[in-house]
Amino acid sequence: TTGMSSVTLTASGTGLTTNSATATVLAGNYATVGMLIAVSTSFVVSYTRATTTSGIRAITISGTTPTVGSESAVTGTGLASLLFASSSIVRTLSMVGASNVYCKPYTVSGSTLSAGTEASVATSGAVTSIRAFVNGNSNIVCHYENSGHSATVFKLTTTTEAASTVSMTTATFSQT
């Protein structure tokens, strides 16, 4: 299906009431939902279409009615992007299984997304899994498995990402 519905809930005590849904038509068949996070006064959702296209959309809520913005295609295939909020910016972390890991910032204003400058890291083999967190300096620290283990730090300056990477050997990496 190419339909995606957004709906708000009203909570009262332990009860929930479903409000009216807003339907959004996607450019291809909906495959998976990734994350939904708050960014400033909006929300951002990541998803995949037809298992090969990753996208994000910003959502605002007025009263009980959601407004869904246009899709921003995210570099990467197969998996919905990991999302990280930094003030009014959402940062996407995605991968192309055979070659690269990407980090791209988007400024969120209401239901509008404006892309910043992406950073990418070439990998030495197919990426099979990815984990990430934001450290105390607001950098995204990313660990991924390819033909071995690698770690990348993505640093955001205004709306531009930069990356530095290190490969880890079994002598420097131990998974417990």
Side-chain angles (χ1 to χ4, degrees):
T1 179
T2 59
M4 180 176 84
S5 292
S6 303
V7 65
T8 61
L9 302 173
T10 301
S12 178
T14 58
L16 295 173
T17 303
T18 303
N19 299 307
S20 298
T22 297
T24 303
V25 178
L26 303 177
N29 286 335
Y30 174 81
T32 61
V33 67
M35 297 178 71
L36 174 69
I37 66 168
V39 182
S40 188
T41 59
S42 301
F43 294 91
V44 175
V45 63
S46 65
Y47 57 89
T48 59
R49 290 188 284 108
T51 68
T52 59
T53 303
S54 297
I56 61 171
R57 289 178 186 254
I59 302 169
T60 57
I61 299 171
S62 178
T64 60
T65 305
T67 299
V68 181
S70 299
E71 177 180 277
S72 288
V74 175
T75 306
T77 57
L79 298 173
S81 296
L82 297 177
L83 302 177
F84 301 90
S86 176
S87 187
S88 63
I89 294 177
V90 65
R91 300 166 73 186
T92 62
L93 188 63
S94 59
M95 65 182 185
V96 173
S99 60
N100 290 68
V101 176
Y102 301 90
C103 188
K104 187 170 188 174
Y106 294 82
T107 301
V108 182
S109 178
S111 59
T112 301
L113 297 166
S114 301
T117 303
E118 177 177 77
S120 67
V121 176
T123 64
S124 60
V127 177
T128 58
S129 68
I130 193 167
R131 300 162 194 79
F133 65 92
V134 176
N135 70 8
N137 295 321
S138 299
N139 299 319
I140 295 175
V141 179
C142 172
H143 165 258
Y144 52 93
E145 295 178 47
N146 45 21
S147 58
H149 294 273
S150 296
T152 298
V153 174
F154 291 100
K155 178 175 179 54
L156 178 65
T157 304
T158 314
T159 58
T160 300
E161 293 284 357
S164 63
T165 300
V166 63
S167 292
M168 298 177 280
T169 64
T170 54
T172 60
F173 179 80
S174 175
Q175 193 169 16
T176 57

